[in-house]
Amino acid sequence: MEDNSKASVVKKLQAVKQKNGKSYSQLAEETGLTNVYVAQLLKRQAQLKPQTAPKFRAALPELTDDLLEEMMRPPLRSYDPHLIQDPTVYRLNEAVMHFGESIKEIINEDFGDGITSAIDFYCSVDKVKGVDGKDRVVLTFDGKFLPYSEQPQECLTLLTAILMSKLSHCEQKSEHMVSRQRPHRN
């Protein structure tokens, strides 16, 4: 019996990438996706869309039909809690925690009360030279702004009234159906 666990599939996908020798950025260029999204696909953290599958197959011809089909299934998006121990992941977490309050304040100031979507979200990693000539990492987080909605009483009251009306109608219909089905006894 073949092992189709997430870990097993990821191991096979990573082996295909390694055998091919292309970087995430090279694969991104060939598929039209961001480099982080390509990595997410090969870690089974994102779903490969059918319209992108041919580009992915062209970029990684060693991908089997079974692996491509698996990549097109909705993944179990999860993470290993021990991952935080990796220095890069720890520092990213630390940076978000350190700058998070200020980032939040600027989002609220520029957009209003709301959050950045992590679903309608693009992420990429780029390499640039700093003013000192040393390599620098540029992380781009590009998420849709989602404003919090105000919750006026009348909207809830209206919604409740509509639901209660429909429920009452269903109960009346149900009672009518039951009374028609009962045999009459004399």
Side-chain angles (χ1 to χ4, degrees):
M1 178 179 252
E2 181 142 352
D3 182 9
N4 282 332
S5 68
K6 180 176 179 176
S8 172
V9 171
V10 168
K11 188 174 181 179
K12 291 173 190 174
L13 291 169
Q14 292 297 311
V16 168
K17 178 191 175 289
Q18 186 174 359
K19 181 180 178 187
N20 188 281
K22 294 179 183 174
S23 70
Y24 290 118
S25 293
Q26 289 169 319
L27 293 169
E29 187 96 11
E30 292 179 36
T31 59
L33 303 169
T34 68
N35 54 7
V36 173
Y37 195 78
V38 169
Q40 291 288 86
L41 286 167
L42 294 175
K43 295 284 188 183
R44 287 298 291 130
Q45 291 290 93
Q47 180 184 21
L48 180 63
K49 304 300 182 196
Q51 65 271 18
T52 309
K55 292 177 187 175
F56 223 83
R57 167 61 64 73
L60 290 173
E62 299 86 0
L63 279 175
T64 65
D65 288 341
D66 287 346
L67 283 174
L68 266 179
E69 285 177 28
E70 181 63 31
M71 291 174 74
M72 288 191 281
R73 289 190 183 99
L76 173 61
R77 290 170 175 89
S78 60
Y79 67 93
D80 179 351
H82 299 295
L83 188 60
I84 194 68
Q85 295 173 3
D86 176 83
T88 302
V89 175
Y90 177 83
R91 289 292 181 208
L92 286 172
N93 187 60
E94 182 182 48
V96 170
M97 297 304 288
H98 178 73
F99 292 99
E101 188 175 3
S102 298
I103 292 168
K104 179 217 179 306
E105 292 277 330
I106 294 167
I107 289 171
N108 292 158
E109 195 174 80
D110 289 353
F111 294 90
D113 187 23
I115 62 171
T116 303
S117 173
I119 294 173
D120 189 345
F121 187 86
Y122 299 87
C123 184
S124 66
V125 178
D126 294 291
K127 180 180 176 180
V128 298
K129 290 286 182 195
V131 292
D132 59 0
K134 295 182 180 173
D135 289 340
R136 300 192 59 83
V137 177
V138 176
L139 303 173
T140 303
F141 287 5
D142 179 350
K144 178 181 178 181
F145 177 71
L146 301 172
Y148 285 108
S149 56
E150 189 173 64
Q151 299 179 16
Q153 177 85 30
E154 64 269 8
C155 288
L156 184 60
T157 305
L158 179 61
L159 182 59
T160 303
I162 292 169
L163 290 173
M164 294 304 287
S165 171
K166 289 199 180 285
L167 182 61
S168 175
H169 176 73
C170 290
E171 287 173 348
Q172 289 172 2
K173 194 173 185 179
S174 176
E175 286 175 8
H176 178 70
M177 300 281 291
V178 170
S179 67
R180 286 185 34 200
Q181 293 175 356
R182 290 189 190 137
H184 292 288
R185 294 190 181 184
N186 292 347

